Amino acid sequence: MIVATSGHTYWSIALIIGLVAALVVAVLLVVLVRAVASISRSVDGLLDVAGKVAANTEYIPQLEATAPVLGQIIDEAIVQDGYMNALTDGFGAEATA
């Protein structure tokens, strides 16, 4: 069975194909716009966090100055421990006697 087709039929088929293609493109554009908006929100959040991280790490280079002093801190802690031991030696000995 051969169906007779005219120019009008071909034109209708072309319009339907064009409409479907236009709808697919419109849907894809909506998906793209939503993805871009989501990425933009994520970047804004990252920029806020990056500022806080930068503020927290701003003084790290100054920590290098504490390394030479650590030996003095340890020496002083040993002296203080000796003082505390001297104060507490024999403490409570009267209570057991």
Side-chain angles (χ1 to χ4, degrees):
M1 197 156 78
I2 299 175
V3 177
T5 56
S6 66
H8 182 67
T9 305
Y10 288 128
W11 183 251
S12 298
I13 293 171
L15 285 177
I16 291 171
I17 291 172
L19 179 63
V20 169
L23 289 175
V24 168
V25 168
V27 169
L28 290 175
L29 282 174
V30 168
V31 170
L32 178 65
V33 168
R34 287 185 180 177
V36 168
S38 173
I39 291 169
S40 178
R41 285 190 302 273
S42 296
V43 168
D44 289 341
L46 286 175
L47 289 176
D48 291 340
V49 171
K52 293 176 183 176
V53 169
N56 288 340
T57 59
E58 179 178 2
Y59 300 106
I60 287 179
Q62 294 177 355
L63 291 175
E64 292 177 1
T66 60
V69 182
L70 290 177
Q72 295 173 354
I73 293 172
I74 291 171
D75 293 340
E76 183 62 27
I78 291 171
V79 170
Q80 295 299 321
D81 185 53
Y83 290 150
M84 293 305 293
N85 286 336
L87 290 174
T88 58
D89 283 348
F91 182 74
E94 294 107 28
T96 58

